[in-house]
Amino acid sequence: MKPEEFINEDEEYIIPVTWEVYSTIKVKGAKNLQDAIEYAKTHIDDIPLGNGEFIDDSYKIEIHNDDEAITAQDYTDIGGVEIYANPYHEYALEVRVNGEFDRQIDVFVSAEEAEEAAKEITLKPNETIDIVCIKYDENMHELSAESIY
């Protein structure tokens, strides 16, 4: 099977990526720098990851062939970033007080779901409900937001 033949019904695909981070560790209790280096080398798997600085230009797709691309679809989600190949829409349910934005109640994938949820909201006399369609680009940067309800 080739990647172009692999189709997921939910149109969601997992693409492995890697990036590099530069950081430092402190080794305490070593007799000298050489002992500290040796300790770090021999205990590298036991040293916890710390905060670090992203190394520019190190972010890359980690797929080397078609089989790897297909096998990656079996990976469990490890908290990666979601991006969209096509502009993405979501529908925010917002409360306005005297016409001014007050709070966002929730976000929905369809206007219909947002409308159903709006019917369940109890409002104070000076509050109104707005359903706002928010459009994002493939990197989830907001393109526009307009009230539809």
Side-chain angles (χ1 to χ4, degrees):
M1 177 180 287
K2 295 190 177 293
E4 61 268 19
E5 297 167 335
F6 189 97
I7 298 173
N8 232 343
E9 286 183 24
D10 63 2
E11 296 183 344
E12 185 174 287
Y13 302 92
I14 297 170
I15 309 298
V17 296
T18 60
W19 61 91
E20 294 180 43
V21 174
Y22 174 81
S23 187
T24 60
I25 58 171
K26 288 184 182 178
V27 177
K28 294 184 177 186
K31 291 184 259 174
N32 56 47
L33 178 57
Q34 184 59 39
D35 283 351
I37 293 169
E38 287 303 315
Y39 181 87
K41 285 181 178 180
T42 59
H43 292 86
I44 191 70
D45 292 333
D46 302 323
I47 298 171
L49 297 175
N51 296 327
E53 300 279 327
F54 168 73
I55 297 175
D56 290 340
D57 300 323
S58 69
Y59 193 73
K60 62 183 175 184
I61 304 299
E62 198 61 46
I63 296 176
H64 302 101
N65 58 50
D66 289 352
D67 289 338
E68 282 185 14
I70 293 168
T71 301
Q73 304 316 299
D74 294 327
Y75 290 0
T76 57
D77 183 10
I78 57 172
V81 174
E82 284 190 17
I83 61 170
Y84 295 85
N86 297 303
Y88 174 73
H89 301 78
E90 67 183 10
Y91 299 86
L93 192 57
E94 298 179 348
V95 174
R96 298 190 179 279
V97 176
N98 297 324
E100 297 294 318
F101 174 80
D102 182 60
R103 64 191 182 276
Q104 187 178 79
I105 300 291
D106 209 344
V107 176
F108 301 89
V109 295
S110 73
E112 294 78 20
E113 287 180 12
E115 287 173 6
E116 286 301 311
K119 294 175 186 175
E120 304 296 321
I121 304 296
T122 304
L123 298 172
K124 296 177 183 170
N126 60 344
E127 294 180 331
T128 57
I129 285 282
D130 248 4
I131 297 175
V132 177
C133 177
I134 305 170
K135 297 178 184 176
Y136 299 92
D137 67 12
E138 63 275 4
N139 296 314
M140 290 303 290
H141 297 123
E142 188 173 315
L143 296 174
S144 65
E146 61 184 63
S147 180
I148 62 169
Y149 177 79

Coordinates of all heavy atoms in Angstrom, one line a residue, residues 5 8 19 29 31-32 36 50-51 61 69 99 105 132 144:
E5 N -2.9 5.7 -1.0 CA -4.0 4.8 -0.9 C -4.6 4.6 0.5 O -5.6 4.0 0.7 CB -3.5 3.4 -1.5 CG -3.1 3.5 -2.9 CD -2.3 2.2 -3.3 OE1 -1.7 1.5 -2.5 OE2 -2.3 1.9 -4.5
N8 N -8.1 7.6 5.9 CA -8.7 7.5 7.2 C -10.1 8.2 7.1 O -10.2 9.3 6.6 CB -7.9 8.2 8.3 CG -7.6 7.4 9.5 OD1 -8.2 6.4 9.7 ND2 -6.6 7.9 10.2
W19 N 12.7 17.2 16.8 CA 13.4 18.4 16.9 C 14.4 18.3 17.9 O 14.4 17.4 18.7 CB 12.5 19.6 17.1 CG 11.7 19.5 18.4 CD1 12.1 20.0 19.6 CD2 10.4 18.9 18.6 NE1 11.1 19.7 20.6 CE2 10.1 19.1 20.0 CE3 9.5 18.2 17.8 CZ2 8.9 18.6 20.5 CZ3 8.3 17.8 18.3 CH2 8.0 17.9 19.7
G29 N 29.0 16.7 43.1 CA 29.7 15.6 43.9 C 30.8 14.9 43.1 O 31.4 14.0 43.6
K31 N 34.6 14.5 41.5 CA 36.0 15.0 42.0 C 36.5 16.1 41.0 O 37.3 16.9 41.4 CB 36.9 13.8 42.1 CG 36.6 12.9 43.2 CD 37.7 11.8 43.3 CE 37.1 10.6 42.7 NZ 37.9 9.5 42.6
N32 N 36.2 15.9 39.7 CA 36.7 16.8 38.7 C 35.8 16.8 37.5 O 34.9 16.0 37.5 CB 38.2 16.5 38.3 CG 38.3 15.1 37.9 OD1 37.6 14.6 37.0 ND2 39.4 14.4 38.4
A36 N 32.8 14.2 36.2 CA 31.5 14.7 35.9 C 31.0 14.2 34.6 O 29.9 13.8 34.4 CB 31.4 16.2 36.1
G50 N 15.3 18.3 31.2 CA 15.1 19.7 31.8 C 14.5 20.6 30.7 O 14.1 20.2 29.6
N51 N 14.4 21.8 31.1 CA 14.0 22.8 30.1 C 15.2 23.1 29.1 O 16.3 23.0 29.5 CB 13.6 24.1 30.8 CG 12.4 23.9 31.7 OD1 11.5 23.1 31.3 ND2 12.3 24.6 32.8
I61 N 10.2 16.4 9.5 CA 9.3 15.2 9.4 C 10.2 14.0 9.5 O 11.3 13.9 8.9 CB 8.6 15.2 8.0 CG1 7.8 16.5 7.8 CG2 7.7 14.0 7.9 CD1 6.8 16.8 8.8
A69 N 5.5 5.7 6.9 CA 4.4 6.6 6.9 C 3.1 5.9 7.3 O 2.3 6.4 8.1 CB 4.2 7.3 5.6
G99 N -24.3 43.9 24.9 CA -23.7 43.9 23.6 C -22.2 43.7 23.6 O -21.6 43.6 22.5
I105 N -18.6 30.3 26.4 CA -19.2 29.1 27.0 C -18.5 27.8 26.6 O -18.0 27.0 27.4 CB -20.7 29.0 26.8 CG1 -21.4 30.2 27.3 CG2 -21.2 27.7 27.4 CD1 -21.4 30.4 28.8
V132 N -20.3 32.4 17.2 CA -19.3 33.0 16.3 C -18.5 31.9 15.5 O -18.0 31.0 16.1 CB -18.3 33.8 17.2 CG1 -17.2 34.4 16.4 CG2 -19.0 34.9 18.0
S144 N -10.4 34.7 10.8 CA -11.5 35.6 11.0 C -12.5 35.1 12.0 O -12.4 33.9 12.3 CB -12.2 35.9 9.6 OG -12.8 34.7 9.2

